[in-house]
Every structure is written in structure tokens, then in C-alpha cells.
Amino acid sequence: MNNYLEIIVFIAGFLIVATAANRISKYFPKVKLPVITGLLFIGIVSGPFVLNLIPKPAISKLYFINEISLSFIAFVAGAELYLKELKGRMKSIKWMTFGQLFFTFVLSGIVVMLLSDHIHFLKDAGFNMKLAIVMLIGVIFVARSPVSAIAVINEMRAKGPFTQTAIGVTVVKDVLVIILFTICFAVADALISDIPFDIWLLIILFGELCLSLLLGFLLGLLMNFVLELRLARWMKSFLLLLSGYSVYLFAHFVHEKSQIYFGFDLYIEPLLVCIIGSFVVVNFGKFRREFVNIIQMVVPFVYVVFFTLTGASISIDILKDTWAIALLFFTIRLISMAIGAFIGGSLGGDPPRFNRISWMPYVTQAGVAIGLVEVVSVKYPEWGPEFSTILIAVIVLNQILGPPLFKWSILLVGESHKRRDLLHENKIQKAIIFGLEGQSLALARQLKEHDWVVKLVTRNEERARLEYQGVDVTHVKELSLPELKRLEADKADAIVLLNQDEDNLKFCELAYEHFGTRDIVVRVNERSYISKFHELGALIVEPSTVMVSLMDHLVRSPIATSLLLGMEKDQDTVDIEMQNKELHGITLRDLQIPTDVIILATKRNNNTLISTGYTRLRLGDVLTVVGSVESLEKVRLKMEDTDLPGYNKARFMRKSISFKRKSIKTDLDLPG
């Protein structure tokens, strides 16, 4: 009874520290450090070697929290292994993964073995023990952090073949690392225990691996059953956490009973089981989006408790004596990774400009690597704490330097969309509005709020000299082709015409013949001009009846109209053209998009299709999408062409537009 009461007290105290760590760690990005590093640092400060807010006895009592967290971190890693989105870069992913696994594991292992006499906890060990520990270090060196990679990609809004290969290799490698760790951990245990190698040992190793894979498949079926239940999301989250922790409990049970009944240790790797279970859910289940939604909701809390507790378990007294070894290990890993990435990229046929920097995306380590370190540390308490402290120090260095290196590599290959004004000026969305009046000024300001670059054009030289609160107003003498080219109208994504009908028609004809501008919006004053603008593919608005039609739709369909007009807070509706060759042919149900996004319609060859989960995407499709502003941006980046030069040519250099668009008329074609 006293033991349970003690555990409850430890849990309560730890949750208070974790809550504070969650708040404080959010300030670390302001000094260019990851949140995970902040959690580890606060854990160290709160641990037994500094403030002792988390005493040493509490760390061992709370280890079950680590196991719950590790199972969910494995779910996160497995959920990213979505095969249908990786198939386009599979050759490059395959060879890069091979280069990273083989060369990083082998080269780093050889170097650590050669330096083992200079490493405190290895110099007095026998050859078998050295080999066992070196194998485990090599596996941990290969591990990467999918979550950190995804965070960098989202922050940089990165899109392209280099980025796609990086995330594909990161996720695939984490699955293979767990399999490799399962094998190496069993072999290391045999080496340390002086168990002779024979055919039975190989059979046992193969049986353990197959058993872990089978249990992972069964766990996936169980998770699908949980997701199918009509329960609140928090209840499903709790059951998924419980199912992950049950894998650890079952692994401990099998380990104990196998020694009693079979005379040897049967080891099941819980991380591998959980990754396979998650893989089954996202690739072969019907509830992938629900599962991803739960992961997004739960994973921030899991990271807070896991990394805070991990930081508290770091032995500062050992770290101060081993920091030089940690720095040496960090350098060894970096060099071996660079060699492996270059060879893997070359075999995969990637361009030299990619291969020279192909190691940069794989530096960062986090959850899976720390989880493997914790498994080894608990298994071997004699030398485990020193092993754990050195390798966690290496992981912290990788966590600090990895994200900036990944960001730098994205900038070097030109796949960042965060600083579009510097990197790809022609990819900024540009609009030109002809006509200076109150409505045009209001429209310009609203477009600028949505990150458009807007230029307002007038032929009144005197009014053009005035300032209009952040709106760029340009004067033109006449609507001639040279003047329009000077305004770079040929590079505009959208042009809005608010002048007299004669002037609007003249410009529309010039744009049709010479520019191929995709979207030309015209305000029509006389209905006789409607057919002329319609033939030129313009989008038409009639001011005479627009207010009545708008109010009519607001009365009959208030929610739909509010969404389409952007009146709902943090919600918007946009049209996105599908130009990503890697997604050509994929069905909408298999598209990995944020869960708060709805695809309302798909337009193909000027025909509107009723979108279902079985609708297959085609290059050039225009999707009408509704959702939060942040999620819509993620969908837009996913749909963009990864071949930037081809994208720009297709987007801006079409010399003729043979299709006709339906007139917006006065009611903006809102659904009734």
C-alpha cells in the first residue's frame, strides 16, 4: 500500500514539473533552439543532480511513463510510413536508406571499436562485450527523428524531390532501425552472456523477429477495432495508449516466462510491434484519418512527459567527465553519415547538387533514438548509465544542430516556400488591379492579408502620387502592350478590371492574345459586354444585382456562403490546381491531408466532378477546398509541382487559353 502511495506522490510531483516544462520550453524557439531541447534541459535542471524536484527513486518508479510514451512515439513513426505517397521517390529512398543504414552503421562501428581503449566504460571490457556495445552504438547512430523532420518541413513549407526523399528515408529508416536493433540487441545479449553461436541461436533470433512482426499485425487489427468504436476521441486516445503499453507488459511477461519454461530468454521488441501496428492502420485500415487526428492531439503531451523524464535521468556527474567522448561520437556519426548519404544518393541517381548535401536532413535525433538508449540502459545497469549519458549528450547535440542543417539544405536546393520573395520570386501570388477607387483599395488590402503581392494601376497621374496606406499605386499613360509588359502583367496570377467596359475589353483581349493570364476578373457595367468577356474566358461580376443575390444566399445557405466568402474565423475556401506528378492517379481517400480539410469539388477539363473518396487525381485538376488557413496552405504545397522550372512554365507561360469559364455573374456562383 505504501508503495502505491509513493508512486502516486511521485506522479503528482512529476506532472507539476512537466506542466511547467511545457510552458517554459515554448520560449526556447525564440533563441533558435528546439522545444525538445528545452524539455530535456528543464528535465536536467529538475532532476536529482540540480534542484532534485524529481528525485532519483522517482525516476525508476516512473519508468512505466517512458514505456507508454515510447509506444506512442512508435505509433507516430509508423503513421508516417504511408506507402502511397512514397512510391514516386522509391528508388532514391531505397538507395539512400541503404547508404545510411549500411555505411553509418559499419563505419561508425569500426571507428568506435578502434577508439574503444580510450573510452572509459569500454577500455577494460573483453572483445565480445566491446563488439556488443559497438553494435548497439552503431544502431543508435543510424536512428533519426521523423517528428523533427516533419516540423522543419512544415516550418519551411518545403516541397520537392529532395524533401520527399528526406522524409521518406527518415520514416523507412526508423522502421528498419527498430528491426536492426531487435537483431543487434539479441546478438549483443548473447555476446555479453557468452552464449555460443549456433544454429539454434539463429533460429531463436529469427523466431523473435517473426513473433514481433506477427504481434505488430495483430496490434494493428486491435487498433482498427478501437478506432471503429463509437466513442469520444479522448476515450479512443486512452485505449490506444493502453494498447501500446500492453505491448510492453506482454513483452516483460514473455521474457520472464520463457526463461522458466524454455530455459532461454525470448525477447520481443515493443517498439517494432508498435511501429508495425501503426503501419497496418495507416496503410490497410479504414480509419487512417481518425488515427492521424488522434496522434496530432496526443503527441504534444507525450513529448512533454517523455523528454522531461529523460532529461531528469541524465547523470550530470558522468556527463562532465565524458563530454569529450560525446563530442567525438557526434563527429564520428556526422562523417559516417555524410559518406553513406553521398554513396546512397549516387546509387539512387540523384543529382550531384543533392548528393553533396544529402547528409544534412538526417542529423537530428529524438524520440526513437532516446528510446533505444533507454532500453539498453535499463537492461545493463552496470555500464548502462554511462552509456546512456554519453549517447543522450550526442542526441542533444544532434537535436540542436540538426534542424538548422536541414533548413539550410532545403534553402540550398531551393525547395523552401517560406521566403518566396528571395528564393522563387515568380512563385509569389501576384495580382494587378486596374482602376483606383474605394472598392479596389479595399480589395487590394484584403488580398495583401492573404499574402498576395498587389499592384493597383491608374491612368490618373495626380492621384497616383498620393499615398494609400500600404497599397502600391502605379501610373500608366495608356493600356498598350509595352505598358502592360512594363507592369509585368504577363507574370500576374490574377488581374482585376474595374475600369469602363471599353477599356476592360481592350485589356482582356491583349491578355488573351499575349499573356495567357489564368484569372481575369471583370466588373461589367453594361450587360451587352457579358458575352464578349465570356468568350475571352473572363470571370464576370455584375454590380447591379450582386448584393441581392448575395443576401439571398446568406438567407438560404448561411453556413456555406459564410465559408465561401471567408467570413468564418480562421476558415477559408480556395481553388488549388493539382500539379504534383507524384500524386497523379492517387484517389482522394488515399490523399494524406489535414483532417479539418474538405474537398468540395474537382474541376477537370472545364467539367465539375462530384468528388468522392474514389475520385482519382489528374494533373491539371482544380480542387475547391475548404478548411483552416494553415491546413489549406499545407494542401496547396502538397499539390504543387516538385519540378519548379516546369511548374513556372506551366503556370505563367501558357500562350493561349482555349477553355471557357462559367460566368460568376452577380451571385458569384454560390451554391444554393
Side-chain angles (χ1 to χ4, degrees), residues 501-519:
D501 291 337
E502 297 85 354
D503 293 335
N504 290 343
L505 183 60
K506 180 180 179 181
F507 175 84
C508 207
E509 290 172 343
L510 288 172
Y512 180 83
E513 293 294 333
H514 301 281
F515 301 155
T517 307
R518 294 187 58 191
D519 297 315

Side-chain angles (χ1 to χ4, degrees), residues 324-361:
I325 297 298
L327 193 59
L328 178 63
F329 278 15
F330 169 76
T331 306
I332 292 170
R333 179 178 184 266
L334 220 57
I335 295 173
S336 62
M337 185 177 295
I339 295 171
F342 184 84
I343 295 174
S346 300
L347 292 173
D350 289 339
R353 68 189 184 96
F354 283 10
N355 295 335
R356 286 191 292 268
I357 59 173
S358 56
W359 57 275
M360 290 184 177

Side-chain angles (χ1 to χ4, degrees), residues 120-416:
H120 181 265
F121 71 98
L122 283 177
K123 64 181 180 180
D124 296 326
F127 177 80
N128 282 359
M129 184 173 177
K130 285 182 180 179
L131 180 60
I133 296 174
V134 164
M135 289 172 58
L136 296 174
I137 291 174
V139 175
I140 292 167
F141 278 3
V142 177
R144 177 68 167 91
S145 171
V147 178
S148 299
I150 294 165
V152 170
I153 290 170
N154 288 340
E155 180 182 344
M156 300 296 289
R157 303 195 305 170
K159 183 69 178 178
F162 183 83
T163 303
Q164 191 175 20
T165 299
I167 188 60
V169 171
T170 297
V171 174
V172 173
K173 193 170 67 172
D174 258 19
V175 177
L176 296 179
V177 161
I178 300 300
I179 297 175
L180 183 62
F181 178 79
T182 304
I183 297 171
C184 290
F185 192 68
V187 172
D189 190 41
L191 287 170
I192 293 172
S193 304
D194 291 325
I195 299 174
F197 278 87
D198 53 24
I199 188 64
W200 287 109
L201 179 60
L202 294 177
I203 292 173
I204 291 170
L205 291 177
F206 181 75
E208 289 175 344
L209 185 60
C210 291
L211 181 58
S212 296
L213 294 175
L214 176 62
L215 290 174
F217 177 75
L218 296 176
L219 177 64
L221 298 180
L222 175 64
M223 293 164 67
N224 274 323
F225 174 74
V226 170
L227 292 169
E228 190 177 6
L229 297 175
R230 294 186 177 181
L231 299 173
R233 186 165 290 167
W234 70 267
M235 179 60 73
K236 291 183 180 180
S237 304
F238 173 77
L239 291 176
L240 289 177
L241 286 168
L242 187 61
S243 64
Y245 182 51
S246 67
V247 175
Y248 275 89
L249 296 177
F250 182 73
H252 293 319
F253 174 80
V254 170
H255 180 73
E256 293 175 2
K257 298 300 180 182
S258 62
Q259 184 64 44
I260 297 173
Y261 292 106
F262 304 115
F264 61 87
D265 291 331
L266 188 61
Y267 177 71
I268 296 173
E269 177 48 64
L271 287 174
L272 178 59
V273 175
C274 292
I275 282 183
I276 297 300
S278 178
F279 171 81
V280 170
V281 171
V282 298
N283 287 281
F284 307 108
K286 300 179 181 179
F287 306 97
R288 172 175 53 86
R289 297 192 69 180
E290 174 73 3
F291 182 56
V292 171
N293 207 19
I294 289 174
I295 285 177
Q296 292 172 349
M297 180 180 71
V298 176
V299 78
F301 303 100
V302 170
Y303 279 168
V304 169
V305 297
F306 176 71
F307 288 111
T308 303
L309 188 58
T310 300
S313 65
I314 294 176
S315 302
I316 300 298
D317 56 339
I318 298 176
L319 182 60
K320 67 181 181 181
D321 297 326
T322 58
W323 65 269
I325 297 298
L327 193 59
L328 178 63
F329 278 15
F330 169 76
T331 306
I332 292 170
R333 179 178 184 266
L334 220 57
I335 295 173
S336 62
M337 185 177 295
I339 295 171
F342 184 84
I343 295 174
S346 300
L347 292 173
D350 289 339
R353 68 189 184 96
F354 283 10
N355 295 335
R356 286 191 292 268
I357 59 173
S358 56
W359 57 275
M360 290 184 177
Y362 310 110
V363 175
T364 310
Q365 291 184 298
V368 172
I370 293 178
L372 300 181
V373 171
E374 289 294 312
V375 170
V376 176
S377 176
V378 172
K379 174 70 174 178
Y380 302 104
E382 303 84 12
W383 47 268
E386 189 170 354
F387 175 91
S388 172
T389 299
I390 293 174
L391 288 179
I392 287 179
V394 175
I395 292 169
V396 170
L397 287 173
N398 292 326
Q399 180 66 27
I400 293 173
L401 296 179
L405 286 171
F406 191 12
K407 291 178 184 179
W408 189 22
S409 68
I410 291 172
L411 290 170
L412 288 174
V413 299
E415 292 183 359
S416 170

Side-chain angles (χ1 to χ4, degrees), residues 577-597:
E577 183 172 351
M578 211 293 283
Q579 297 201 8
N580 188 348
K581 298 180 182 65
E582 309 295 345
L583 298 180
H584 181 77
I586 193 171
T587 60
L588 292 180
R589 64 182 296 182
D590 293 327
L591 193 63
Q592 191 87 322
I593 59 175
T595 54
D596 62 340
V597 167

Side-chain angles (χ1 to χ4, degrees), residues 579 581 641-653:
Q579 297 201 8
K581 298 180 182 65
D641 192 354
T642 57
D643 182 3
L644 296 177
Y647 168 82
N648 296 333
K649 182 178 180 181
R651 187 177 179 91
F652 299 113
M653 300 303 292

